[in-house]
Amino acid sequence: MRLAPEPVLRALIPILAGVTATIPFQNGAPGMLGLVCLVPFVLLLHAERESPRGSFRVGYWFGVGFFAALLYWIALLVDSEIPIRGLTGIGWIVLSLVLGLVYALAAFLSCLLRRFLPGPVALAFAWVALDYGRSLGPLGFPWGSIGYVLADYPTLIQIARFGGVALVSFAVVLTNALVAESMLALVQRRNRRVLGCLAGAILVVAVLGIDGVTRIRTGLPESPRSMRVAAVQPNILAEEKWTPAFKTKSIDILTELTAAAAADAGAEGDAFDLAVWPETSVPVYVRQEYSYYKRLSEFVRENDISLLFGFPNAEYDQDRADYVYYNAGLLLAPDGSEAGEYRKMHLVPFGERLPLEDKFEWIANLDLGQANFAPGTEAKVMGTAGTGYFGTTICFEAIFPAVCRPFVTNGAEYLVNLTNDAWFGMTAAPSQHADMARFRAIELGVPFVRAANTGISFVCDAFGRILSKVPLGESGVAVATISPSRSTTFYRSHGEWFPRSVLAGTLLLGALAAWRGRKL
């Protein structure tokens, strides 16, 4: 049997390590595997510990494998009626190859940082720094930060209230590195180091757990009021939603689900105050097509509820002599009047808007089938007498902590997310997306309501614990009572202080190590 050439193996083995690292992100896999999923990668890095160039190579191919396996669902989007049909397979490959550079640089910097820091700490610093770096700018994409693997274990992730998901990621990478170091020490028969590294890994997890249990048991200051909210999940397929025949049908499904849930809640003496429908759940320009607007106004009056729904908004711009389009959410009060509108600020690159098209005319002239939405400009807080005050995010805005935080600092008592994950089908993407949203509740210390077209819709408390949920691929309504917190969190007050500090420290120490290396 002939073995593959060495250059192939030197790429293939790290790629397999990257694929292995995504197992906790896949459907049905226990997130606790995240505490050991990076061990193969750390062992490969150890073999290159004296070579920044070798570490870069291992990190790159690991990153390619990691992102290819994490984002495999991008290639499957071709089966749906999406704006850039036919380009998704190519986009998946290109994105994986580009994002591989993230962990190539992390591995390279960790090799340099080992001159100042213990190996496990150096890797945790470099990993978090580059993970934060990939979230920045118009093409920022923080999907799949390693801390999210623990989303189903609220007692282990309450430290997010201090430093966000980045602090949880730091702890996860540190734990993996310590486990890997203990395995290396075991092979080298260095028993004291084995025990020391294992004790360190156990200590990190214990600190997470003790902090989480203490936080949850202590609870939050009682709120003088509570709200009953309902996240409605119609489960309408992507290829059906935008057909002319389904315009009315979509609204029929949503109103029937909401009215039935409202009737059941009313019969139990626990009527809900706010119903939330998903992103573009009303697939019409309601302000221009008045019959739909009138129907929705009558619906909320008949059921005596407030309603927040997603819709494509069109507004005529006198200067452009043309319409400007927004991906928006509209709040109707129980009397049928408008109580506020939110316009999505962080648009999906290439899907909703081409990056930098407002700066370069040649980009604006490209036609990839994108929606060409205009970005909103305000983190608007909305509410009616019964709903309290909330901030609305749309689609993947919920994966950006820095996008969600201004709503709460502006006075939001809880957060709402409208999304349409029908494009993802039954892949792992909907659960990955939902897990990231739950972290915003912990970071900011507020409840979170998520309405997704095909799932996963849920209501969670300020600890990220699910209070009510509709599974993926089903229709239904998640109803729960939430109590806005009167306390704050360190993250809410200070924002991205932790990843920024880690990024700055990593770059500074990396530059110093490179300079010292040149002098030597």
Side-chain angles (χ1 to χ4, degrees), residues 31-39 149-150 156 171-172 175-176 179 205:
M32 199 66 76
L33 289 176
L35 297 175
V36 294
C37 69
L38 299 179
V39 168
V149 296
L150 297 180
L156 294 180
V172 170
T175 301
N176 274 272
V179 171
V205 178

Side-chain angles (χ1 to χ4, degrees), residues 4 8 18 37 117 196 340 365 397 432 465 476 480:
V8 174
C37 69
L117 301 170
N365 291 332
E397 285 185 314
Q432 293 170 6
R465 298 178 300 184

